[in-house]
Amino acid sequence: MADKHNHQHTQAIFGKNTELYFSMLSGLFLAIGFSLDTWANLETYLHLICYIISYGFGGYFITQEAFQKIGKGLFEIDFLMIVAAIGAAYIGSWAEGSLLLFLFSLGHALEHYAMNKAEKSIKALGNLSAKTALLKNRNSLKEIPIEDLEVGDIIVVQPHTKIAADGVIIKGISSINQAPITGESMPVDKSPFPKDQEIPNFSDIDKSHIVFSGTINGDSALEVRVLKLTKDSTVSRLISLVNDVETQKSPTQRRTKKFEKIYVPIVILLVTVLCFAFLVIDESFETSLYRAITVLVAASPCALAISTPSAVLSGIARAAQRGVLIKGGKALEDLGSVTTIAFDKTGTLTQGKPSLKQVVAFNDFDKKELLQLLYEVERLSNHPLAKAIAKAIKEQEQLEAANLASNISAIQGKGIEALYKNEPVYIGNTRLMTDQQFTIPKAVETQFNQQLEAGETVMLVGYQNQIIGLVSVMDVPRKTAANTLLRLKKIGIKNMIMLTGDHESVGKAIAKQIGLTESRGNLLPEDKVDAMRLLIERDGKVAMVGDGVNDAPAMALSTVSIAMGAAGSDVALETADVALMSDKLEMLPFAIGLSRASKRIINQNIFISLGVVAILVPVTILGLTNIGLAVLFHEGSTVVVVINALRLLAYKED
């Protein structure tokens, strides 16, 4: 395959498709020359002039590349083709030489067309970025280049315009089309970040308040505080990562390159020997040379050279269209080969937000009073569980704060204490209750343990010297989790394991609900690494799905790491092999299916390219075919391989 930098000159006469037009002109003059030579019966050199012009157009770019590579000490396929074409001209087979250069240049041009098409569909993200932004300065607006934006600037985004920077909404409500970044087909509702709260880091803000550069605003104007410079925006990072994709060659591509380095010198040696066959067998030098050139055409691995890179780039491009960033050929091939996937729990298989499950009153305590107590106390706490309880009770019971609680304080590892109606109240685990001299009745203990076994986080409420109630929360599974795991099972994923730092019972409860094969709980980050090592020893290749941050050590050890919701996380974009830009677990079967389709097409391409060579070489050595047929079959296989790879751009999950 030609290096991309060798093709910058193709932007010349006919623009970016100059190489393709040159190839077509080569074919046109070949056809004219062949017609004049065959049917015109003219005693002129017009047909030869047409063949020479065909040589010029067909060999222009190939010759440039061949010399560039020779300058680096490389003798590759381009060199073999030039030698074959010169040899064909030397023995008077101008038509066959022209056909060779026409078809080889056409295959080359189609390869670069496929590569450019694939790259453009990924890099189109860059074109989506706005070029200017409306900077708000007190009461005036000023249009400035996005490069001049600074962190902390406030920009105004008009309806139906591109958002110019990654930031947080401080005013306005709108629906944002995030498809260019996350691949989500439906617009996402966005609202302002609460004014009474300090704005945290971009990656820590709820996704309902943040916007990405390159996405498109809906019907309402927004005011956005810029949180990232243009060069650090998600879309800029994405493009720079995609630019590095080709440096990460797939295992098949590396093997093919190694094979070529050994194979090409062998072909040159074989052809040189065949040139002197007339010294051993009874034939003329011209006959030996003709056979040698025919073998040179037949043995050149043109189709093999482009069989893998064209398929890899087409696969990566198709993934990017659906909001999946696959970072190179190795990740693309590895993803399709795994049969075991390990999942983080929080935020991956679950919503990552605790939901209120149960509130139970004991000892004839009024449930409405218990709910009021919980709301008054929990709303004063900053703990995520307390916030979830207070929010849920307020929404479900339509309660308003009566300021009946005060003096709240956390008791590390146990719960909280506060005053409610000037009497002490305790909300927490059994250790807290025991420490505060509360007696836990058998019935309460039984219900407490039942809720724990169901995977819930359970807290008791101690008030007025007795246990008055129980409250439980749970990080509930994503709505799409069970169906996604079912689809993964159908496409051959045999083992699906949860690795979580949460309690063992919580992990098992979630695993049972959504259909996981195994669950391992109480794991610290280093424990997850050990678990991953054991899974690799047992199953060979293992993928790890997480947020790319907390699970970084385990993900680094996995065969292929997959980050969820990577659009908001620089770390995930940087560290993961595959990044699901949206927060959609259901994109995973598509990514694995695409990876397998890419591998199938790579194998088909290799079979076609090597199959044609394996048949043509012995046939041409034995002199059973002429150079014209050898050219037609050999270069035809190159065109077939490129077209086969382009099919990936239309891949759809079954």
Side-chain angles (χ1 to χ4, degrees):
M1 188 190 107
D3 295 332
K4 279 191 292 182
H5 65 263
N6 294 337
H7 288 273
Q8 298 308 310
H9 49 247
T10 63
Q11 304 296 323
I13 306 168
F14 299 117
K16 60 188 175 186
N17 291 323
T18 298
E19 190 175 11
L20 187 59
Y21 290 134
F22 269 39
S23 177
M24 292 296 153
L25 286 168
S26 173
L28 176 65
F29 281 100
L30 165 63
I32 295 169
F34 186 75
S35 301
L36 291 172
D37 193 18
T38 308
W39 295 297
N41 292 321
L42 298 173
E43 292 296 321
T44 67
Y45 290 101
L46 278 177
H47 70 281
L48 186 58
I49 292 169
C50 288
Y51 286 144
I52 291 170
I53 294 171
S54 175
Y55 260 62
F57 281 119
Y60 181 74
F61 289 113
I62 302 167
T63 306
Q64 282 190 342
E65 287 193 14
F67 277 105
Q68 284 173 355
K69 288 174 181 175
I70 289 168
K72 297 175 185 175
L74 300 171
F75 291 89
E76 293 190 6
I77 297 155
D78 314 88
F79 174 73
L80 297 185
M81 291 298 99
I82 294 297
V83 171
I86 292 168
Y90 177 77
I91 61 175
S93 298
W94 283 96
E96 288 86 347
S98 296
L99 181 65
L100 171 67
L101 290 177
F102 162 58
L103 288 174
F104 184 70
S105 65
L106 180 63
H108 234 233
L110 282 175
E111 176 200 355
H112 295 130
Y113 173 77
M115 297 301 187
N116 291 334
K117 187 175 175 64
E119 286 171 3
K120 274 194 292 185
S121 66
I122 300 169
K123 293 176 183 174
L125 288 170
N127 299 329
L128 283 165
S129 296
K131 301 292 179 272
T132 59
L134 278 177
L135 179 66
K136 185 178 182 181
N137 191 359
R138 292 181 183 162
N139 295 321
S140 64
L141 294 178
K142 182 183 178 185
E143 191 170 4
I144 63 167
I146 58 169
E147 292 79 13
D148 294 346
L149 287 174
E150 295 181 2
V151 173
D153 283 349
I154 293 174
I155 58 173
V156 173
V157 185
Q158 302 287 15
H160 308 294
T161 60
K162 295 169 187 173
I163 293 169
D166 285 10
V168 60
I169 298 171
I170 58 172
K171 187 177 180 182
I173 296 171
S174 189
S175 291
I176 309 291
N177 177 2
Q178 297 192 149
I181 300 293
T182 66
E184 291 167 286
S185 56
M186 298 296 291
V188 181
D189 292 336
K190 301 281 184 173
S191 59
F193 189 81
K195 289 181 180 179
D196 58 347
Q197 293 182 28
E198 188 177 336
I199 297 174
N201 292 330
F202 184 78
S203 57
D204 297 330
I205 302 172
D206 188 287
K207 293 226 168 81
S208 64
H209 305 312
I210 61 172
V211 292
F212 301 112
S213 172
T215 55
I216 301 158
N217 189 18
D219 296 329
S220 305
L222 297 173
E223 287 188 15
V224 174
R225 184 182 294 278
V226 177
L227 295 183
K228 287 189 182 182
L229 298 174
T230 298
K231 65 183 177 66
D232 299 323
S233 70
T234 300
V235 70
S236 298
R237 296 288 298 282
L238 194 53
I239 293 163
S240 67
L241 287 167
V242 169
N243 285 335
D244 298 334
V245 154
E246 281 197 81
T247 63
Q248 301 179 36
K249 297 187 187 300
S250 73
T252 306
Q253 203 169 342
R254 285 198 294 269
R255 285 194 296 271
T256 303
K257 278 289 177 191
K258 281 181 185 175
F259 174 73
E260 279 178 40
K261 284 177 182 175
I262 300 166
Y263 179 76
V264 171
I266 290 171
V267 170
I268 293 171
L269 183 63
L270 173 64
V271 169
T272 305
V273 169
L274 287 172
C275 286
F276 298 97
F278 70 94
L279 298 174
V280 180
I281 58 177
D282 186 20
E283 64 182 20
S284 65
F285 171 67
E286 285 75 16
T287 305
S288 292
L289 185 60
Y290 184 89
R291 184 194 291 112
I293 292 165
T294 308
V295 170
L296 178 59
V297 171
S300 297
C302 312
L304 182 66
I306 63 173
S307 59
T308 305
S310 56
V312 164
L313 222 68
S314 294
I316 288 169
R318 179 61 185 140
Q321 289 169 354
R322 295 288 301 274
V324 179
L325 174 63
I326 299 176
K327 288 160 64 175
K330 184 177 186 303
L332 185 68
E333 285 196 33
D334 284 344
L335 185 59
S337 65
V338 298
T339 55
T340 298
I341 302 178
F343 296 88
D344 175 43
K345 178 183 76 73
T346 306
T348 302
L349 293 170
T350 64
Q351 293 177 4
K353 297 170 186 171
S355 297
L356 180 65
K357 293 296 287 183
Q358 289 204 53
V359 175
V360 181
F362 298 128
N363 292 324
D364 298 324
F365 197 85
D366 182 63
K367 187 172 180 181
K368 283 192 175 181
E369 180 67 17
L370 175 61
L371 287 165
Q372 184 75 44
L373 180 152
L374 284 168
Y375 173 62
E376 294 283 353
V377 173
E378 300 285 23
R379 76 182 186 86
L380 300 178
S381 172
N382 287 320
H383 193 281
L385 293 183
K387 284 183 176 179
I389 292 167
K391 185 169 180 278
I393 291 174
K394 182 176 182 177
E395 289 172 359
Q396 291 170 18
E397 303 297 323
Q398 303 297 310
L399 293 178
E400 292 297 328
N403 298 318
L404 299 173
S406 61
N407 292 18
I408 189 166
S409 61
I411 302 172
Q412 192 65 37
K414 296 175 185 177
I416 56 173
E417 65 174 330
L419 290 177
Y420 178 71
K421 294 182 178 177
N422 295 317
E423 290 188 71
V425 59
Y426 300 89
I427 304 171
N429 57 24
T430 50
R431 279 167 56 209
L432 176 62
M433 299 301 133
T434 307
D435 289 351
Q436 299 302 322
Q437 311 303 315
F438 286 99
T439 303
I440 304 173
K442 192 69 179 172
V444 171
E445 194 175 334
T446 301
Q447 181 144 8
F448 183 91
N449 291 331
Q450 283 174 350
Q451 304 307 120
L452 271 183
E453 286 168 15
E456 297 170 20
T457 300
V458 192
M459 291 151 281
L460 295 174
V461 183
Y463 182 59
Q464 295 177 339
N465 301 317
Q466 61 180 344
I467 303 293
I468 61 163
L470 167 154
V471 58
S472 69
V473 294
M474 188 177 186
D475 185 7
V476 295
R478 289 172 178 263
K479 291 176 183 175
T480 57
N483 184 49
T484 300
L485 296 182
L486 193 61
R487 284 164 58 205
L488 288 172
K489 193 175 180 181
K490 284 180 180 175
I491 62 171
I493 304 299
K494 295 173 184 174
N495 306 305
M496 292 175 280
I497 301 112
M498 181 197 293
L499 303 179
T500 179
D502 216 331
H503 196 278
E504 188 79 49
S505 61
V506 174
K508 284 183 176 174
I510 299 282
K512 190 176 179 182
Q513 283 182 54
I514 59 177
L516 287 167
T517 51
E518 296 176 50
S519 171
R520 302 181 188 181
N522 298 318
L523 300 178
L524 296 170
E526 56 267 31
D527 299 326
K528 288 186 181 181
V529 171
D530 293 337
M532 179 58 66
R533 195 172 281 116
L534 290 170
L535 287 173
I536 291 170
E537 284 176 15
R538 187 189 77 181
D539 300 329
K541 293 185 175 182
V542 182
M544 173 80 187
V545 187
D547 60 10
V549 184
N550 305 340
D551 310 300
M555 290 176 79
L557 187 63
S558 65
T559 311
V560 56
S561 54
I562 304 162
M564 291 276 297
S569 170
D570 291 342
V571 182
L573 273 176
E574 206 66 56
T575 57
D577 300 315
V578 177
L580 305 182
M581 302 306 291
S582 67
D583 201 29
K584 290 188 174 180
L585 186 66
E586 56 268 35
M587 291 306 298
L588 193 53
F590 165 81
I592 293 172
L594 175 64
S595 170
R596 290 179 179 175
S598 302
K599 183 69 175 173
R600 274 197 305 274
I601 283 178
I602 288 168
N603 289 337
Q604 289 165 8
N605 284 354
I606 290 171
F607 179 79
I608 291 166
S609 53
L610 289 180
V612 169
V613 169
I615 294 167
L616 281 181
V617 169
V619 167
T620 51
I621 288 175
L622 295 171
L624 299 176
T625 188
N626 60 39
I627 192 171
L629 280 173
V631 167
L632 203 60
F633 274 98
H634 185 269
E635 298 308 321
S637 69
T638 305
V639 175
V640 168
V641 158
V642 172
I643 292 170
N644 193 35
L646 282 172
R647 289 194 301 128
L648 283 169
L649 291 174
Y651 172 80
K652 289 181 181 175
E653 190 185 352
D654 295 333

